[in-house]
Structures are given as structure tokens and as C-alpha cells.
């Protein structure tokens, strides 16, 4: 043990200190726990009830009386029910008697009605005979008139038919005409639509091609612009890795830089200045000849990030 | 079916083009890392200023060019030479590809003092970035030009300029009698205005600036053996450090000026010691049987790096200034020596041998990445500018040692033509 | 070419020390010209009938006072063992004589490191002298690094001459 201490004085010392600290810790923590262990555990409380003998007797008596009353009430109830049934049976018998009487009265009425009907039928037959004789005379006259009327009507009818046919023909022709026109219209419309569709498609293709061309031009001129700015960027000496700066550059047609604004500083004045100077010195920036393309290059954001 | 596809495609295209017409986004990841173009128009005088032989604009131009961060427009290429803001036509300078423009004027005051006024413009924005008026006397015009260089440099790079600093270096010449003459000289950082602070017939070496720039310590063999001296520049008074048997060399001041690390071999092999300037006591820092030399303090003064061949070949090691175990710093190549910390403590510069050539190289301490900055065969004694932007060193030019400067990124190298013989061991001063 | 060969021959043997003394400051006069005539007087280099100072006897290893080293090395090459043995014995026999053992390096490498390297060379030589009985207070090591080259060139022929240890006896 002593050798060990001698061999590793530092380790031994450390271990000693650690032990002391541990022991100290135990003592310390115990002295803190003691007051807590003195608190007595809570005692459960029992509630006692005293029972009185006289009360029990009174309770029994009360129960007995109650039973008796109940029996009396039941008997009365049964009697009431019997009386009620008797009254109901009487009422039913009365009702049957009344129904029989009403049936008798109804049959009497039916007989009276049949006698009256036979009398009316006899009078009707006499009236009918008188009527047919007058009608026969009337019919002869009527037929004659009808014959004349028929001739007249046929002529009129023929005329009408003629007119109607002419009319129908006209309508038919008109309809045919309309139909043809309509068909023509539909056809024309379809053709127009087809043409429009085709035109739209070709326009689309053209637009697409234009966009492609624009995109290509933007890409290639972005490259040219980048190269020119990079040629003009004198990187400040020293450690600039990790610095970055974004400037917004406004151009006029022809590519001249008219404004340079730092929109995100690197935090390093000299770096920012080198960036600003690079974009100004690169002016004019190379732009496509097509003036329509200028919109793409009106405002440029340069993100300077040395070393990529 | 086809139509639907086309429709969808069209919608997509329309959406895309709508987004483009908002603002086309272009990502820039590459740039050029060449120097910033700057035009410095010759400073004008509306009146005749007598007794001034300094071309202020040329001095500024040379300063900025030497830093590697700027390329200055030749005045022969200038379309006009304005000296007031009203005369400046920014389009002209844009056409010449200039980012920055400096104009200035020198006027003589009634009391004979000069006033040097200058303005710095952003050519593309057409804005003044800075404008100052500096007083100067006629002999101090060069100093004023260096101060303007400092101001412009700081404005455009965000880094303090080091053009008003100085350098110390060793020269050796043979006089008419064939005798060697060794000197330590102090000059402006551009090499002008050299002043000799000590001359000896025996070798002088290892000049080292005190952190306040008021003293230079160096090694002299004037007694036949090496000793370390500390000389106060203003008075020329010098003090010899206690000398020991063997080597007394490689003095290096601690950043707070209270201590000096040096090499002594009094206890056997060369080892690093720390001399306490106040108590005048020595403390041994390294204990190897190998060579330990060329100590240099970290900018925070807590660590010392040094050259040691304890591993067989000279490599750079680091040790806490308070002592302890040294750890190896360099692993690339079989010869790394005379290291010193960059002012920000992130890099060290050292002599690194590659294919038998001795080159100036930096090592990034965090990554261990080594960059070779010089291209000579026997490049030596690299010394950081106090702003860390450049490194002075000595190199051989047609068999003669001369000084050269390289930007700390290695992109711009320039030789400094100084007067007199071999010039070596440049030591860049701290900021004033 | 012949001159170079001759020079090399001379330097590697008896004239090495003189080439050092023939340097910039401690020129020891006529010995230089004498050496240049040396080729014609070589027949006289017998040693047995030499009447000058034993340290100057061209036939004696004592006349060699410069030891050359390989690049980046402080090991004494075998051909110098006899030279150092002779000097060690001479010092042991002449307790009153003390010398400077001056180490040098070529210009390659850093200056302060070269100071230390030249000291290591000088100390190796000092140890070998002690082995022969030279007392430690008879030899003083001075490390000059690359500060005092013997040859001015920037190639191996110059560098070889500069990687050296000089045994400097007091003027006689």
C-alpha cells in the first residue's frame, strides 16, 4: 500500500481526496435525513356507533303495523276491481240491444225506396215514345242539310289540303335550308377551332423555342459576364476564405453599370469594396444583341464567394 | 398528352423568366490576386519650394509597390496630372484601369515649414476616400511621404502600414588595405537614410531590436570571441552583456522587453538561456547535448521557438518561456532553422532547405503547411515587418549578399539596392 | 587547370595553415611567396635536416594546422588523425604553449546555427588533442561560424576550404 502511494503519489492523493469527499458526502447527507425520520406515520381513525335496544323494538312494531295496513289496502283494492267488472258487463249488454234496434229501422227504409223507383220507371217509358216520333221527322231534314253541307265541306277541305301541302313544302324547304346553314356553320366553326388550335400549338412551340433560345442566351451571357467580373476582381490579400458578399448591379442597355449596391455585406469593408470595384470595373458587361433580351439583364445580383 | 407537357414546360419557362427579370443571379468564385492599381500624381507646388530634393509621389509609389499590394501607374502613362480635386477627370483614370488616385500639393509656409496635402480617391465611385494635410520640415519630407504611404496603405488594405519603420542590417566591406570592415547600419524601411551604429574590423552579427525600437543588441567578435552588446540608438552608448566561455550569441528580446533569450555554450553544447534584464541573471532554458540556438519569442511572450539538431538534423522546436519539455514544430524537409514568429503569432518564417537550396519559407502553425517564399540558393535571416505584410531577408545576387523583400503571401519579391559591400541579416524594427 | 591542381595539392598538405594566415588580417609575411615557390623546392622537403621551428617543418605533420570537414559533419576524417596526434603530443610536451582551436563553417545554413556547428567541430578537435595529453587550459575553442571564410567563392571548392578548424599557435 505504501509502495503504491510512493509509486503513484498523484493518483494516491487523488484517490484519498476522492474518498474523503465521499465520506464527507455521506455524513452530510445523513445529518440531513434525520429530522425526516422523526415524523410519526398517520394513525387510521375508527368511528364507533352505540346501538339502543328500545329503538330496535319500536322499529319492529313499526314494521308490523305497516304490514297490517298493507293487507287491508290490498283487500279494498280487490273489491273495487270486482265492482268495476260488473258495471262493465252491464254496459256491454245495453250496447247490443241498441244495435239490434237500429238494424230493424234500416230494413224498413230500403222497402220504401224500392216502391218509389218502380213508379218513376213507368212514367219514363211514356215520355220516351213521344220523343222518338218527333225525332224521326227532324232526322230526315237533318240528313238533307247534312248532305249539302258535306259537299261544301269537301270543297273547302280540298282547298285547305292544297294550301297545307304548299305550306308544308315551304316549311320543309326552309328547314332544309336552315339545316344546311347550320351544318355549314358547325363545319366552319370546327375548322376555325381546328385552325386556332393548330395556330396555338405552333405559337406554343415557337414561344417554347424562344424561351429556350432566351434561356440559352441568358446562360451563355451569364457566363461571359461572370468571366468579365472575375477578371476584374482583385481579391484583397489575406484570409478571405469564408467571406461572401452580394451586390445588386443595375445596367442600362449596352451593358453599362449605372449602380452598384451591396445588399449583403461580408462584414469586411475591404472585401466589400473589392467586390463593388470589380463590378464597376467590369462595366460595360457583355449583353446579347437582341434588345428584347435586355429585361433578363436589367438587374443582376452578384454573389461573391471566393474559392466557391 | 403532348400538349400538357408543353403547357407545363411553358409555365416553367415563364416562371423562370419571371424570376430572371427580377434579378439574374451570378456567382463569382474566382478573382485575380494581383496588386491594386493606384495612380500617384506627382505632387505639385504652386510656388517654388527651394531646398527640397525629395520626390514625395515617387517615394509613396515605391513604398506601396514594395509592399506587393499595389501597382503604381508610371507617370509617363498619365493623361493629365491634376493636383486639386476640381481638376480630376475620373474617366481618364478609369480608362487607364486605375482603382485609386492620389493627388497632392506641397506649399511652403511663412516660417519655412512645408505643408504636404494629399487626397485619395476611389476612381470608379468618383469619391474621395481620404484627405490630409501634414506639416513637415524640408529635411523630413521623406518621412512625411512614408507617413502618407502608411495612411493610404491602411485605408486601402485595413492593415497598419509599416513604411515609417526602420531596419537594421550588417554590412561587410573590404577597405583599400584589404582589411575587412563590418558595420551595423540602421535605415528607413526603404533603405534610405542609412546610419552606421557600430563599425568593427572583426565580424558583427545578429542585430536584434528591443521591443520599443530604442535599442539594438548584436553579437561582436571585436575581442576575438563572441560577446553580446546592447546599444541605445539615440545616444550610441552601449553595454556589454556578461560574456561566457564559448558562444555568446543569438540575442532575442522578449516582447515586454524585460528579458532576452540568447545562446550560450558555457555548459557544454549550445543551449538557450534567458537573461533577465532587470536582475541581470541568466536562466538556462534547454538542456540538450545537441545544438540549441536561434531563439525567438512568441508575440505573447509565453513560448520560445529555437533551432535544434537534437533529432539529427536542424529543426524548429518550441518550449514554454518558463521552461519544460520542448516540442518539435517542423517536420517538412531536413533543414529548418532560424525561425521567428509572425506578428499575429499564426505563422513562423524560417530558412528551409529544399533540393540543396536554402529558401525563406513560412509555416502555418495551425496546419503545419509550409510555403516557400523566396527563390534564391542561399536565402537567409528572414524578418517580418511589424504588420506582418512583408518579410525582409538576405539573398545572393551575382555572388554578393544583398537584401530582398517578399510579401508574406510570396507574390511580390523585390531586391533592395543598398550602398556598400555585402549586406545581410536584416532585422525589421517594431512600430515606432 | 594546373594551377588549380597545384593549389589544391598544396592546400591539402602543408600550405593550408598558411593560406589561412595569408588571409586578410594575420598575414604572416613571406611564407606566402615562399610557399608559391614551394613546388621548385620540394626536393628539399626532407625534414631530417630541417633547422627551423618544428611547427614549421613542412615534413612534419605539425605543419598542418587546418583540419577540413565534410558537409554538415563535425567528424575528423582519418587523414587528420596523425596531424592531431602530433599537435596533441606537442602541446603535452610544451605545457607552456596554449592554442586557439578556431571552428569555421561554410556559408550554407543559418549564421547562428553555423556558429554552433563550427564550435562542435572545434570541440571534436579539442577532444582529440586532449587524448594526446594536451591539458584543457592549453586549448581554447572559438567558434567563428561562417563569418570568416578562407575562400570567397560560392561553390563546393570554396565551401570545402571554409569547413575547417584552425589550430592557432601564438606568434613565434
Amino acid at each position: 500500500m505504501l509502495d503504491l502511494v510512493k509509486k503513484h503519489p498523484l493518483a494516491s492523493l487523488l484517490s484519498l481526496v476522492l474518498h474523503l469527499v465521499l465520506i464527507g458526502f455521506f455524513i452530510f447527507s445523513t445529518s440531513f435525513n434525520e429530522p425526516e425520520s422523526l415524523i410519526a406515520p398517520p394513525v387510521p381513525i375508527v368511528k364507533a356507533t352505540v346501538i339502543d335496544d328500545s329503538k330496535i323494538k319500536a322499529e319492529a312494531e313499526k314494521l308490523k303495523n305497516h304490514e297490517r295496513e298493507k293487507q287491508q289496502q290490498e283487500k279494498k283494492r280487490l273489491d273495487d276491481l270486482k265492482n268495476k267488472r260488473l258495471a262493465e258487463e252491464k254496459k256491454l249488454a245495453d250496447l247490443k240491444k241498441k244495435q239490434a234496434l237500429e238494424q230493424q229501422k234500416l230494413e224498413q227504409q230500403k222497402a220504401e225506396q224500392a216502391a218509389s223507383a218502380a213508379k218513376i220507371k213507368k212514367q219514363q217509358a211514356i215520355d220516351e215514345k213521344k220523343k222518338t216520333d218527333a225525332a224521326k221527322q227532324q232526322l230526315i231534314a237533318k240528313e238533307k242539310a247534312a248532305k249539302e253541307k258535306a259537299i261544301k265541306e269537301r270543297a273547302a277541305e280540298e282547298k285547305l289540303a292544297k294550301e297545307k301541302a304548299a305550306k308544308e313544302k315551304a316549311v320543309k324547304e326552309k328547314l332544309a335550308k336552315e339545316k344546311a346553314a347550320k351544318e355549314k356553320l358547325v363545319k366552319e366553326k370546327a375548322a376555325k377551332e381546328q385552325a386556332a388550335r393548330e395556330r396555338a400549338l405552333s405559337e406554343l412551340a415557337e414561344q417554347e423555342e424562344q424561351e429556350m433560345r432566351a434561356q440559352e442566351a441568358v446562360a451563355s451571357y451569364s457566363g461571359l459576364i461572370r468571366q468579365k467580373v472575375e477578371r476584374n476582381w482583385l481579391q484583397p490579400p489575406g484570409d478571405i476564405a469564408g467571406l461572401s458578399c452580394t451586390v445588386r448591379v443595375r445596367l442600362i442597355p449596352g451593358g453599362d453599370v449605372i449602380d452598384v449596391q451591396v445588399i449583403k455585406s461580408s462584414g469586411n469593408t475591404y472585401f466589400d469594396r473589392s467586390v463593388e470595384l470589380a463590378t464597376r470595373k467590369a462595366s460595360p458587361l457583355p449583353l446579347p444583341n437582341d434588345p428584347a433580351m435586355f429585361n433578363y439583364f436589367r438587374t443582376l445580383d452578384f454573389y461573391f464567394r471566393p474559392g466557391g | 398528352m403532348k400538349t400538357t407537357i408543353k403547357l407545363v414546360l411553358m409555365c416553367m419557362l415563364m416562371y423562370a423568366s419571371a424570376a430572371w427579370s427580377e434579378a439574374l443571379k451570378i456567382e463569382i468564385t474566382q478573382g485575380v490576386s494581383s496588386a491594386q492599381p493606384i495612380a500617384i500624381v506627382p505632387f505639385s507646388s504652386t510656388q517654388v519650394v527651394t531646398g527640397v530634393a525629395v520626390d514625395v509621389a515617387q517615394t509613396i509609389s515605391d513604398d506601396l509597390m514594395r509592399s506587393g499590394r499595389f501597382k503604381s501607374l508610371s507617370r509617363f502613362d498619365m493623361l493629365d496630372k491634376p493636383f486639386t480635386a476640381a481638376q480630376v477627370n475620373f474617366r481618364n483614370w478609369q480608362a487607364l484601369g486605375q482603382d485609386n488616385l492620389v493627388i497632392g500639393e506641397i506649399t511652403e509656409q511663412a516660417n519655412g515649414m512645408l505643408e504636404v496635402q494629399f487626397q485619395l480617391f476611389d476612381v470608379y465611385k468618383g469619391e474621395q476616400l481620404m484627405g490630409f494635410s501634414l506639416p513637415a520640415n524640408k529635411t523630413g519630407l521623406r518621412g512625411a511621404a512614408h507617413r502618407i504611404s502608411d495612411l493610404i496603405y491602411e485605408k486601402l488594405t485595413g492593415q497598419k502600414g509599416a513604411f515609417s519603420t526602420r531596419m537594421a542590417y550588417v554590412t561587410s566591406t573590404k577597405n583599400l588595405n584589404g582589411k575587412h570592415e563590418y558595420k551595423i547600419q540602421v535605415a528607413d524601411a526603404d533603405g534610405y537614410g542609412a546610419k552606421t551604429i557600430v563599425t568593427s574590423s572583426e565580424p558583427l552579427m545578429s542585430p536584434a531590436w528591443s521591443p520599443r525600437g530604442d535599442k539594438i543588441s548584436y553579437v561582436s567578435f571585436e575581442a576575438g570571441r563572441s560577446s553580446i552588446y546592447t546599444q541605445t540608438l539615440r545616444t550610441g552608448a552601449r553595454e556589454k552583456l556578461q560574456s561566457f566561455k564559448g558562444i555568446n550569441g543569438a540575442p532575442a528580446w522578449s516582447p515586454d522587453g524585460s528579458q532576452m533569450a540568447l545562446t550560450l555554450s558555457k555548459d557544454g553544447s549550445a543551449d538557450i538561456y534567458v537573461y533577465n534584464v532587470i536582475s541581470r541573471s541568466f536562466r538556462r532554458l534547454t538542456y540538450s547535448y545537441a545544438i540549441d540556438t536561434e531563439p525567438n519569442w512568441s508575440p505573447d511572450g509565453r513560448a520560445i521557438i529555437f533551432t535544434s539538431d537534437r533529432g539529427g538534423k536542424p529543426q524548429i522546436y518550441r518550449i514554454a518561456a518558463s521552461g519544460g519539455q520542448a516540442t518539435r514544430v517542423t517536420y517538412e524537409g531536413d533543414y529548418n532553422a532560424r525561425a521567428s514568429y509572425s506578428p499575429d503569432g499564426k505563422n513562423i518564417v524560417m530558412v528551409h532547405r529544399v533540393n540543396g537550396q536554402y529558401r525563406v519559407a513560412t509555416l502555418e502553425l495551425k496546419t503545419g503547411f509550409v510555403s516557400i517564399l523566396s527563390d534564391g540558393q542561399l536565402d537567409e535571416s528572414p524578418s517580418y515587418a511589424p504588420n506582418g505584410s512583408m518579410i525582409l531577408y538576405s539573398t545572393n545576387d551575382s555572388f554578393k549578399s544583398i537584401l530582398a523583400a517578399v510579401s508574406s503571401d510570396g507574390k511580390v519579391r523585390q531586391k533592395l539596392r543598398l550602398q556598400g559591400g555585402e549586406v545581410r541579416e536584416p532585422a525589421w524594427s517594431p512600430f515606432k | 587547370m594546373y594551377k588549380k591542381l597545384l593549389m589544391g595539392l598544396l592546400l591539402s598538405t602543408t600550405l593550408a595553415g598558411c593560406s589561412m594566415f595569408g588571409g586578410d588580417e594575420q598575414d604572416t609575411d613571406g611564407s606566402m611567396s615562399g610557399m608559391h615557390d614551394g613546388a621548385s623546392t620540394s626536393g628539399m622537403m626532407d625534414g631530417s635536416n630541417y633547422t627551423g621551428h618544428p611547427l614549421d617543418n613542412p615534413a612534419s605533420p605539425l605543419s598542418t594546422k587546418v583540419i577540413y570537414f565534410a558537409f554538415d559533419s563535425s567528424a575528423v576524417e582519418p587523414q587528420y588523425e596523425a596531424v592531431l596526434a602530433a599537435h596533441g603530443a606537442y602541446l603535452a610536451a610544451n605545457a607552456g604553449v596554449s592554442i586557439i582551436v578556431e571552428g569555421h563553417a561554410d556559408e550554407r545554413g543559418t549564421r547562428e546555427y553555423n556558429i554552433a556547428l563550427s564550435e562542435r567541430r572545434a570541440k571534436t578537435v579539442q577532444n582529440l588533442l586532449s587524448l594526446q595529453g594536451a591539458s584543457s587550459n592549453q586549448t581554447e575553442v572559438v567558434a567563428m561560424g561562417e563569418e570568416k571564410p578562407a575562400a570567397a567563392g560560392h561553390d563546393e571548392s570554396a565551401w570545402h576550404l571554409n569547413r575547417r578548424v584552425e589550430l592557432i599557435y601564438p606568434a613565434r
Side-chain angles (χ1 to χ4, degrees):
Chain A
M1 178 67 186
L2 211 62
D3 277 353
L4 205 71
V5 172
K6 274 182 183 164
K7 257 186 195 161
H8 307 283
L10 188 70
S12 306
L13 189 70
L14 233 138
S15 137
L16 186 66
V17 169
L18 240 146
H19 279 91
L20 282 172
V21 167
L22 265 172
I23 291 162
F25 182 77
F26 282 135
I27 292 166
F28 203 54
S29 60
T30 314
S31 68
F32 262 121
N33 282 338
E34 261 163 7
E36 268 182 66
S37 63
L38 284 175
I39 294 169
V43 179
I45 296 163
V46 180
K47 275 190 185 165
T49 313
V50 180
I51 298 166
D52 193 342
D53 200 37
S54 66
K55 263 192 185 167
I56 295 175
K57 270 181 193 161
E59 198 74 19
E61 194 63 34
K62 213 169 147 193
L63 281 171
K64 232 187 235 170
N65 287 345
H66 187 68
E67 198 62 34
R68 210 179 291 136
E69 268 172 36
K70 233 178 167 180
Q71 278 170 8
Q72 280 170 358
Q73 273 171 7
E74 184 66 25
K75 199 181 165 226
K76 191 173 174 265
R77 196 179 65 96
L78 287 173
D79 288 350
D80 287 351
L81 269 172
K82 201 178 165 188
N83 290 341
K84 225 178 179 178
R85 205 183 61 227
L86 285 175
E88 203 75 24
E89 276 167 5
K90 193 175 169 254
K91 215 174 172 182
L92 208 68
D94 288 350
L95 202 69
K96 262 182 185 166
K97 222 188 258 172
K98 205 178 165 186
Q99 274 175 350
L101 265 166
E102 270 172 13
Q103 182 71 26
Q104 215 178 334
K105 217 172 167 182
L106 208 69
E107 274 166 13
Q108 207 178 325
Q109 270 176 7
K110 257 183 187 168
E112 278 168 12
Q113 271 172 4
S116 167
K119 211 172 163 186
I120 291 165
K121 232 179 183 174
K122 207 174 170 182
Q123 185 59 41
Q124 270 178 344
I126 298 164
D127 289 350
E128 194 65 26
K129 175 111 174 52
K130 276 183 197 165
K131 246 181 188 175
T132 20
D133 289 347
K136 257 176 194 169
Q137 291 299 321
Q138 241 175 5
L139 197 70
I140 294 161
K142 237 183 190 172
E143 270 174 2
K144 199 186 166 192
K147 255 180 197 162
E148 284 166 6
K149 199 188 169 191
I151 294 164
K152 264 187 198 165
E153 276 178 355
R154 205 182 296 144
E157 241 169 51
E158 270 167 17
K159 197 186 166 197
L160 212 75
K162 259 183 196 162
E163 282 174 4
K164 199 186 164 189
K167 226 180 196 171
E168 275 177 0
K169 198 186 165 196
V171 167
K172 241 183 197 165
E173 278 171 4
K174 195 184 165 200
L175 275 173
K177 248 185 206 166
E178 278 176 4
K179 198 184 164 197
K182 216 173 176 180
E183 275 174 1
K184 196 182 164 201
L185 214 73
V186 167
K187 250 185 199 162
E188 276 175 8
K189 201 179 161 199
K192 239 186 216 164
E193 277 173 2
Q194 177 67 20
R197 243 196 319 273
E198 275 168 10
R199 201 164 54 241
L201 272 176
S202 78
E203 268 171 21
L204 201 66
E206 201 178 313
Q207 218 164 358
E208 190 184 307
E209 214 178 288
Q210 246 173 38
E211 289 293 346
M212 285 292 196
R213 272 202 303 276
Q215 200 189 24
E216 268 170 31
V218 166
S220 79
Y221 277 88
S222 293
L224 291 176
I225 291 170
R226 181 174 50 75
Q227 283 170 22
K228 189 159 186 199
V229 172
E230 285 182 344
R231 273 201 307 277
N232 281 284
W233 184 28
L234 289 188
Q235 289 182 336
D239 194 9
I240 55 165
L243 292 181
S244 70
C245 173
T246 307
V247 285
R248 178 155 293 172
V249 173
R250 274 178 240 286
L251 303 183
I252 52 172
D256 279 311
V257 172
I258 51 159
D259 183 44
V260 181
Q261 244 184 313
V262 174
I263 57 173
K264 198 166 170 288
S265 167
S266 68
N268 178 322
T269 325
Y270 305 96
F271 187 84
D272 286 2
R273 183 171 183 252
S274 77
V275 162
E276 229 185 300
L277 213 59
T279 52
R280 285 184 191 279
K281 284 177 79 175
S283 173
L285 295 175
L287 291 186
N289 286 327
D290 181 2
M293 290 295 294
F294 177 65
N295 276 340
Y296 290 98
F297 297 94
R298 193 179 292 280
T299 308
L300 304 174
D301 282 355
F302 287 97
Y303 175 44
F304 283 75
R305 195 163 61 102
Chain B
M1 187 60 200
K2 251 186 179 169
T3 328
T4 11
I5 291 174
K6 277 180 179 170
L7 263 163
V8 169
L9 206 74
M10 198 175 91
C11 285
M12 274 165 61
L13 273 167
M14 274 167 73
Y15 175 78
S17 62
W20 280 333
S21 65
E22 188 68 27
L24 183 59
K25 285 186 177 51
I26 297 175
E27 194 171 314
I28 307 292
T29 58
Q30 307 292 314
V32 286
S33 44
S34 63
Q36 277 192 54
I38 187 166
I40 300 156
V41 181
F43 282 28
S44 167
S45 305
T46 43
Q47 68 213 85
V48 180
V49 180
T50 51
V52 172
V54 176
D55 187 336
V56 173
Q58 193 59 50
T59 306
I60 296 167
S61 169
D62 291 346
D63 279 349
L64 296 178
M65 291 275 268
R66 205 169 53 253
S67 75
R69 302 274 179 92
F70 296 91
K71 57 173 179 271
S72 160
L73 181 71
S74 159
R75 52 183 65 175
F76 300 111
D77 293 334
M78 293 178 185
L79 301 173
D80 55 355
K81 294 189 175 66
F83 55 92
T84 66
Q87 296 169 338
V88 173
N89 180 356
F90 289 110
R91 290 231 164 250
N92 284 353
W93 303 100
Q94 283 176 15
L96 291 165
Q98 300 305 300
D99 293 1
N100 311 288
L101 170 70
V102 176
I103 61 167
E105 220 180 332
I106 303 166
T107 48
E108 190 168 5
Q109 309 295 99
N111 59 4
M113 283 288 283
L114 301 176
E115 192 178 272
V116 184
Q117 190 189 308
F118 78 96
Q119 284 167 285
L120 168 66
F121 295 100
D122 181 322
V123 167
Y124 283 88
K125 275 188 171 171
E127 280 175 7
Q128 179 180 311
L129 293 171
M130 186 172 57
F132 273 109
S133 178
L134 288 84
N137 59 37
K138 284 176 182 172
T139 54
L141 204 49
R142 182 168 286 279
H146 290 319
R147 280 203 301 284
I148 293 170
S149 301
D150 284 340
L151 289 166
I152 292 169
Y153 186 85
E154 185 161 1
K155 187 75 199 172
L156 295 180
T157 68
Q159 220 178 37
K160 202 173 170 185
F163 304 110
S164 298
T165 55
R166 292 166 294 168
M167 59 176 169
Y169 50 86
V170 176
T171 66
S172 100
T173 46
K174 252 186 197 170
N175 66 15
L176 291 172
N177 308 326
K179 292 250 185 194
H180 266 107
E181 193 169 68
Y182 301 91
K183 286 177 182 168
I184 291 178
Q185 294 190 319
V186 172
D188 289 349
D190 61 356
Y192 279 87
K195 288 189 184 76
T196 301
I197 67 159
V198 59
T199 306
S200 173
S201 60
E202 294 296 324
L204 295 167
M205 58 186 293
S206 305
W209 291 85
S210 70
R212 281 164 56 195
D214 57 340
K215 292 173 186 158
I216 288 177
S217 296
Y218 54 85
V219 174
S220 171
F221 284 85
E222 62 197 68
R225 292 135 184 82
S226 57
S227 305
I228 296 171
Y229 291 83
T230 297
Q231 185 166 329
T232 302
L233 293 178
R234 196 175 48 82
T235 61
R238 63 177 198 162
E239 192 187 340
K240 185 179 169 186
L241 206 72
Q242 184 187 347
S243 270
F244 297 91
K245 184 167 68 83
I247 297 169
N248 297 269
W253 289 80
S254 69
D256 66 359
S258 69
Q259 298 174 90
M260 184 191 283
L262 44 88
T263 301
L264 299 175
S265 62
K266 66 187 179 79
D267 299 313
S269 64
D271 272 304
I272 310 294
Y273 291 74
V274 176
Y275 171 68
N276 187 311
V277 174
I278 294 133
S279 69
R280 292 171 184 266
S281 58
F282 291 84
R283 169 167 63 90
R284 187 172 176 182
L285 194 62
T286 66
Y287 291 84
S288 78
Y289 291 108
I291 292 169
D292 291 345
T293 188
E294 300 171 338
N296 178 268
W297 298 76
S298 66
D300 64 7
R302 288 156 77 174
I304 287 172
I305 48 173
F306 61 96
T307 309
S308 176
D309 70 347
R310 57 185 67 188
K313 297 283 183 183
Q315 295 289 352
I316 306 303
Y317 290 76
R318 176 173 40 209
I319 189 169
S322 54
Q325 198 71 35
T327 54
R328 188 168 161 180
V329 175
T330 53
Y331 289 93
E332 196 170 319
D334 63 355
Y335 192 104
N336 292 296
R338 202 189 187 280
S340 57
Y341 277 97
S342 64
D344 64 6
K346 289 179 180 168
N347 298 282
I348 59 171
V349 66
M350 60 195 180
V351 174
H352 173 74
R353 184 169 69 198
V354 53
N355 301 327
Q357 317 272 301
Y358 295 79
R359 299 270 169 87
V360 171
T362 53
L363 179 140
E364 191 181 23
L365 290 170
K366 201 169 76 184
T367 60
F369 185 75
V370 173
S371 322
I372 294 165
L373 304 186
S374 73
D375 60 352
Q377 296 188 322
L378 289 165
D379 300 339
E380 267 199 80
S381 310
S383 173
Y384 265 110
N387 66 359
S389 66
M390 289 167 70
I391 293 157
L392 273 173
Y393 63 99
S394 65
T395 187
N396 272 20
D397 177 40
S398 56
F399 302 117
K400 193 181 134 194
S401 177
I402 60 160
L403 299 191
V406 61
S407 57
S408 51
D409 57 10
K411 281 173 185 150
V412 177
R413 275 192 295 267
Q414 197 180 11
K415 286 168 179 172
L416 301 180
R417 309 273 167 196
L418 300 178
Q419 293 293 310
E422 307 259 336
V423 185
R424 57 187 183 232
E425 292 198 86
W428 209 312
S429 82
F431 284 120
K432 266 181 190 166
Chain C
M1 182 63 204
Y2 173 72
K3 247 188 184 170
K4 247 189 184 172
L5 202 75
L6 177 68
M7 194 62 182
L9 183 76
L10 291 174
L11 284 169
S12 66
T13 56
T14 60
L15 305 182
C18 291
S19 82
M20 185 273 290
F21 288 120
D24 311 319
E25 282 126 68
Q26 294 140 308
D27 202 321
T28 47
D29 69 79
S31 58
M32 191 65 158
S33 51
M35 293 307 169
H36 279 290
D37 296 335
S40 59
T41 58
S42 59
M44 294 172 67
M45 285 183 188
D46 192 359
S48 52
N49 49 3
Y50 184 76
T51 53
H53 195 283
L55 284 169
D56 298 333
N57 183 354
S60 157
L62 284 176
S63 64
T64 298
K65 298 184 187 70
V66 181
I67 317 294
Y68 296 96
F69 291 82
F71 174 58
D72 211 13
S73 166
S74 54
V76 171
E77 289 169 12
Q79 71 261 36
Y80 296 112
E81 280 166 10
V83 172
L84 291 176
H87 282 286
Y90 179 82
L91 289 170
N94 299 276
V97 176
S98 58
I99 61 166
I100 290 173
V101 182
E102 195 175 85
H104 296 266
D106 70 30
E107 63 179 345
R108 292 174 294 171
T110 63
R111 290 180 175 268
E112 288 284 1
Y113 182 76
N114 281 341
I115 291 277
L117 193 62
S118 69
E119 185 188 58
R120 184 186 279 165
R121 284 177 179 147
K123 281 189 167 168
T124 308
V125 168
Q126 185 187 38
N127 285 340
L128 290 174
L129 295 175
S130 303
L131 283 176
Q132 299 299 321
S135 143
S136 62
N137 56 24
Q138 280 180 288
T139 55
E140 186 195 351
V141 164
V142 170
M144 294 304 294
E146 62 178 283
E147 304 305 315
K148 282 200 161 180
H154 298 280
D155 51 21
E156 180 52 35
S157 64
W159 292 333
H160 170 73
L161 295 176
N162 293 332
R163 290 190 301 268
R164 68 201 195 275
V165 168
E166 298 179 4
L167 304 175
I168 303 172
Y169 282 84
R172 292 177 294 280

